[in-house]
Amino acid sequence: MHYSATVNGRQLRFADLRILMGKASPKRAADELAGLAAESEVERAVAQQILAEVPLTTFLEQPLIAPEHDEVSRLILERHDPAAFAPLASLSVGEFRDRLLADGGDLSALAAGLTPEMVAAVSKIMRNQDLIAVARRCRVISRFRNTLGLDGRLSTRLQPNHPTDDPRGIAASIIDGLLYGSGDAVIGINPATDNLHNVRTLLELLDDVIRRYQIPTQSCVLCHVTTAMELMQRGAPVDLVFQSIAGTEAANRGFGIDLALLREAKAMAEALKRGEVGNQVMYFETGQGSALSANAHHGVDAQTCEARAYAVAREFSPLLVNTVVGFIGPEYLYDGKQILRAGLEDHFCGKLLGLPMGCDVCYTNHAEADQNDMDNLLTLLGVAGCNFIMGIPGADDVMLAYQSTSFHDALYLRQVLGLRPAPEFESWLERMGIFDGDNRLSANSAKTQLLGRLSTLIQ
Amino acid sequence: MAPRDPWFELRRYTQARIGQGRAGCATPTQPQLEFQLAHAMARDAVHQAWSVEHFAQVLAAKTWQSLALATPILNRRHYLQRPDLGRILAPASRDTLQALEVPAPDVALVVSNGLSSTAVETHGLPLLAAVIEAYAECALSISPICLVANARVAVADEIGALLGAKASVIIVGERPGLSAADSLGIYLTHAPQPGRTDAERNCLSNIRPPAGMSYTAAAAKLAYLTRQALQRQLSGVALKDDMREGAVPSDGEPMLNAR
């Protein structure tokens, strides 16, 4: 079915819902590269008007990617809960936006009734402040060795990467991060190579740090899921299983995964029972443009593909979902404005779909962006109730060659918005003399006894 | 001046910006300005244009035969937004290669600034010298050195195919990071032709002595992989690096490079 409208005597035509979604998307390089973007601002504005009138039920009747060819589409339809959808079933996309903004209170009960396409559609006609205001009202709590996502809390992934995975270099960055109060979401290393022995060495290092200092947090080495499975079989200490995921079956195949493999990995990690206050064992990363870069987007815009990745994620009740928003580069998100918009959209869509969303607020050196753009997105995500951000020494990842947020940035956000770490981790920081009991670094934190003890990690 | 943290000395184990100290919650002024300078250097490396003509003159002075080719890319901004156009030759360059009367080489050798003109200006010549010598030692013939500004890795597929080469090799500037704005990468593809996937290439990354891989180590590894590729008639993930000495990485981080 096609859509059309006449503006100033000129007829604009959109061949189908998939095309309409692309044309209604706020401007970004990925959709331009894919030939899906609106060709003028008027075309975009008109597409948004038409999209606002589309009934939500249309997304159930007209899947953008045929279920016969895509297991993610099948998953989305199979998991859709008509009872949870019932209160929204008569609404159009535009009425859905009004409903989200008008109702007070928590919105988490809606998640099971929503599909990624509905959530992506409504995001396209929302302003940045709408994305923030609505996401704030979706609390998603997850648990492993601590409790993440509580109201008034902000957690951080301590990311101590090193270009050659040198354990002493990694330990040095871990010490820096812990002494700045970082690491309650996870202490997570991107390994330079997926070599089994290498990954195991890093897992054992992290396990040793967490046990020795009784830190209420979890570890992860972000290797391929099959590497983690092999290492679990060999008895390595795996807390969380990591995997990059995307919103189509073909893009996931490009990552070397499918739903069955993820199910197997999750069951293996759960059976280790390493959690303490919960046992949510999965850590996923996503980012707009990943399906396009794998040439597996089926003509669907980048932001809708990204929302579909969240349907994959929620199947596995993850502890953490992280949109690595600016990592992919300017051919997908050109500048600070596009990165900021995408970060807010991803956080909103993920939260509305019931995911514990965090964001790697980041950019590469070939994007038109700088640390000021990151300050803006970081602050807005803090207001929006983002579950976690990254903590990297000086915001400079010396292994992945991009810039993210620093340990200092998290302290800034805590201070200006009054956001505290996960409660178990906050108590630990206070016991260790790192935090002062008032959500700030202790004046003498640099002199804490802990430094002397931590330094033994290097030896 | 805000003092550094007592654990600043741990920096001898990592280039990471640890132990910077703080001014309240913020990064103190000096490390903040150091970060700005590093970012400025990386930005300049990305946006700096590359003079193919000048590079060709330098090669001519060494009596190395070269060929200036072009992609349809108009400028650096266009390059960053249109990776698809960086992977193909401009029609005039295609004609140039088709009209060229040279015997089909073993290796089509291509050089591009990719994402860092600084990298190719700093390390391009000495790396080429090492590569040419390594190929000469194992009696592999090479094409005229094809210089292509603003190209992506896959442009070497088309060049290799037009030259009838058994393999293509592209030396290309990698995406600059804050600690390294001058890193070169090399990609090797057996039986080059448009449509080859990244899984069919072998990559050497982080070539930037003295901090990264040396020219001679990269050249030796490349010659080894090329001989293996020609002998086994394949490249990419199926061609594992069994070379023992000098533990250099065989598979660079692919997202860092100009693909």
Side-chain angles (χ1 to χ4, degrees):
Chain A
M1 173 187 151
H2 80 273
Y3 300 87
S4 66
T6 304
V7 181
N8 292 338
R10 179 169 154 237
Q11 206 203 16
L12 291 166
R13 201 184 135 88
F14 306 93
D16 57 25
L17 186 58
R18 178 183 62 80
I19 298 289
L20 183 68
M21 289 280 274
K23 301 277 186 185
S25 296
K27 181 181 162 91
R28 74 204 58 204
D31 295 335
E32 291 171 336
L33 182 61
L36 297 168
E39 278 160 28
S40 69
E41 292 301 330
V42 167
E43 190 184 23
R44 178 173 296 113
V46 170
Q48 290 175 348
Q49 286 190 341
I50 296 173
L51 181 61
E53 288 169 17
V54 172
L56 291 182
T57 50
T58 307
F59 294 99
L60 299 173
E61 294 152 6
Q62 299 176 28
L64 298 184
I65 300 173
E68 310 84 79
H69 302 127
D70 186 281
E71 69 170 359
V72 179
S73 291
R74 290 198 292 279
L75 178 75
I76 290 167
L77 293 174
E78 281 163 17
R79 290 290 184 257
H80 183 251
D81 177 353
F85 182 59
L88 309 173
S90 66
L91 303 182
S92 67
V93 171
E95 290 164 341
F96 180 39
R97 172 181 175 276
D98 290 341
R99 177 73 66 89
L100 286 172
L101 290 163
D103 290 352
D106 192 84
L107 293 166
S108 27
L110 295 180
L114 295 171
T115 67
E117 288 82 357
M118 295 174 193
V119 171
V122 76
S123 80
K124 293 179 195 300
I125 60 163
M126 293 173 90
R127 284 174 49 191
N128 289 358
Q129 66 162 270
D130 303 341
L131 299 174
I132 294 167
V134 174
R136 251 185 96 79
R137 289 167 40 220
C138 307
R139 273 287 132 222
V140 183
I141 295 163
S142 60
R143 296 178 177 88
F144 191 77
R145 280 195 199 102
N146 55 22
T147 312
L148 302 171
L150 293 167
D151 194 25
R153 305 278 172 174
L154 170 81
S155 296
T156 52
R157 166 184 164 194
L158 201 175
Q159 183 170 314
N161 295 344
H162 186 278
T164 60
D165 289 337
D166 174 41
R168 289 177 306 177
I170 285 171
S173 288
I174 293 175
I175 291 169
D176 195 50
L178 290 174
L179 291 173
Y180 273 93
S182 181
D184 49 342
V186 62
I187 304 177
I189 305 168
N190 296 89
T193 84
D194 234 36
N195 176 284
L196 287 163
H197 303 286
N198 178 54
V199 173
R200 181 160 195 164
T201 300
L202 299 180
L203 282 167
E204 285 169 355
L205 167 70
L206 293 178
D207 188 52
D208 179 45
V209 173
I210 289 172
R211 280 170 182 273
R212 206 188 311 183
Y213 303 103
Q214 299 182 335
I215 311 173
T217 190
Q218 35 280 332
S219 73
C220 188
V221 177
L222 285 72
C223 56
H224 193 262
V225 62
T226 52
T227 304
M229 290 165 80
E230 176 63 30
L231 286 168
M232 283 189 278
Q233 267 165 355
R234 297 186 190 183
V238 174
D239 285 349
L240 304 184
V241 171
F242 166 81
Q243 184 55 47
S244 292
I245 56 170
T248 70
E249 180 180 339
N252 283 329
R253 209 180 305 127
F255 285 136
I257 59 158
D258 58 20
L259 297 174
L261 184 69
L262 293 176
R263 285 192 184 101
E264 200 183 327
K266 176 175 181 248
M268 284 177 73
E270 281 172 345
L272 300 179
K273 294 189 168 58
R274 293 174 59 85
E276 284 164 21
V277 300
N279 202 24
Q280 288 172 278
V281 295
M282 301 302 283
Y283 172 13
F284 294 120
E285 286 190 352
T286 66
Q288 291 190 26
S290 58
L292 175 60
S293 86
N295 197 22
H297 61 301
H298 300 274
V300 173
D301 68 88
Q303 191 252 334
T304 303
C305 286
E306 171 73 5
R308 286 169 55 93
Y310 304 152
V312 174
R314 70 174 171 180
E315 178 70 2
F316 301 96
S317 182
L319 184 78
L320 306 164
V321 179
N322 178 20
T323 171
V324 190
V325 66
F327 187 79
I328 193 160
E331 60 269 43
Y332 301 93
L333 295 169
Y334 185 67
D335 57 15
K337 184 181 170 103
Q338 293 186 9
I339 292 170
L340 184 143
R341 174 74 196 181
L344 293 178
E345 287 168 347
D346 293 352
H347 177 255
F348 163 86
C349 289
K351 279 285 177 70
L352 204 51
L353 289 167
L355 290 174
M357 288 304 291
C359 183
D360 190 343
V361 174
C362 65
Y363 64 106
T364 59
N365 288 314
H366 57 324
E368 290 293 321
D370 61 22
Q371 221 61 32
N372 292 322
D373 296 300
M374 300 306 105
D375 288 345
N376 295 347
L377 178 54
L378 172 75
T379 307
L380 295 179
L381 284 170
V383 177
C386 185
N387 284 31
F388 66 99
I389 57 171
M390 304 306 112
I392 297 174
D396 170 14
D397 190 307
V398 294
M399 201 281 278
L400 294 172
Y402 78 123
Q403 285 88 252
S404 177
T405 48
S406 66
F407 306 134
H408 296 75
D409 292 334
L411 295 174
Y412 146 80
L413 208 54
R414 297 197 185 296
Q415 183 181 62
V416 297
L417 296 176
L419 298 169
R420 313 178 83 96
E424 300 87 347
F425 192 79
E426 184 181 30
S427 304
W428 180 83
L429 290 173
E430 290 169 5
R431 280 203 306 281
M432 295 294 125
I434 298 171
F435 268 29
D436 66 356
D438 198 19
N439 195 32
R440 288 181 311 200
L441 283 184
S442 302
N444 64 349
S445 72
K447 301 183 196 84
T448 178
Q449 266 193 317
L450 185 63
L451 174 57
R453 290 163 56 201
L454 281 171
S455 296
T456 62
L457 286 174
I458 305 279
Q459 284 143 20
Chain B
M1 283 288 214
R4 291 161 169 169
D5 294 310
W7 58 92
F8 182 82
E9 49 114 19
L10 296 182
R11 272 216 193 178
R12 67 177 184 271
Y13 301 112
T14 180
Q15 297 173 310
R17 291 166 198 264
I18 62 169
Q20 296 192 118
R22 60 192 179 95
C25 292
T27 312
T29 300
Q30 191 189 330
Q32 169 56 26
L33 295 176
E34 285 167 5
F35 179 99
Q36 291 295 104
L37 177 59
H39 185 233
M41 288 166 73
R43 296 287 293 152
D44 283 353
V46 168
H47 287 280
Q48 191 191 327
W50 182 46
S51 170
V52 165
E53 293 71 24
H54 177 255
F55 201 81
Q57 282 167 12
V58 179
L59 296 189
K62 291 187 166 287
T63 70
W64 294 342
Q65 205 189 344
S66 71
L67 202 57
L69 302 173
T71 64
I73 295 291
L74 303 173
N75 52 47
R76 290 300 279 172
R77 184 186 166 103
H78 195 213
Y79 174 71
L80 294 176
Q81 288 181 305
R82 292 298 301 270
D84 53 330
L85 296 182
R87 296 185 188 117
I88 56 174
L89 287 174
S93 291
R94 209 168 285 152
D95 295 344
T96 303
L97 281 183
Q98 272 161 349
L100 200 65
E101 290 183 2
V102 293
D106 292 322
V107 176
L109 189 53
V110 184
V111 179
S112 179
N113 53 337
L115 286 165
S116 173
S117 299
T118 307
V120 77
E121 288 291 351
T122 309
H123 302 296
L125 277 179
L127 179 59
L128 269 176
V131 167
I132 289 168
E133 190 182 331
Y135 278 144
E137 275 172 16
C138 53
L140 290 173
S141 63
I142 56 174
S143 69
I145 302 164
C146 299
L147 307 177
V148 201
N150 302 328
R152 304 270 170 175
V153 169
V155 82
D157 292 339
E158 187 175 9
I159 294 172
L162 288 169
L163 289 170
K166 293 175 186 158
S168 71
V169 164
I170 181 168
I171 296 172
V172 61
E174 295 185 326
R175 194 180 85 193
L178 286 203
S179 357
D182 63 343
S183 205
L184 282 177
I186 303 181
Y187 288 80
L188 164 73
T189 311
H190 177 258
Q193 54 179 300
R196 287 282 179 216
T197 69
D198 292 334
E200 295 172 293
R201 310 186 199 287
N202 291 84
C203 169
L204 301 174
S205 186
N206 196 30
I207 302 163
R208 52 171 200 110
M213 199 191 303
S214 74
Y215 309 129
T216 48
K221 177 73 75 183
L222 176 65
Y224 164 84
L225 286 169
T226 308
R227 286 198 315 271
Q228 291 285 311
L230 297 187
Q231 193 183 329
R232 299 180 51 200
Q233 301 284 300
L234 53 82
S235 59
V237 289
L239 179 61
K240 292 296 181 198
D241 173 13
D242 291 333
M243 195 178 175
R244 285 195 181 278
E245 81 279 16
V248 284
S250 62
D251 49 350
E253 170 55 52
M255 291 194 74
L256 303 190
N257 303 320
R259 293 152 70 141

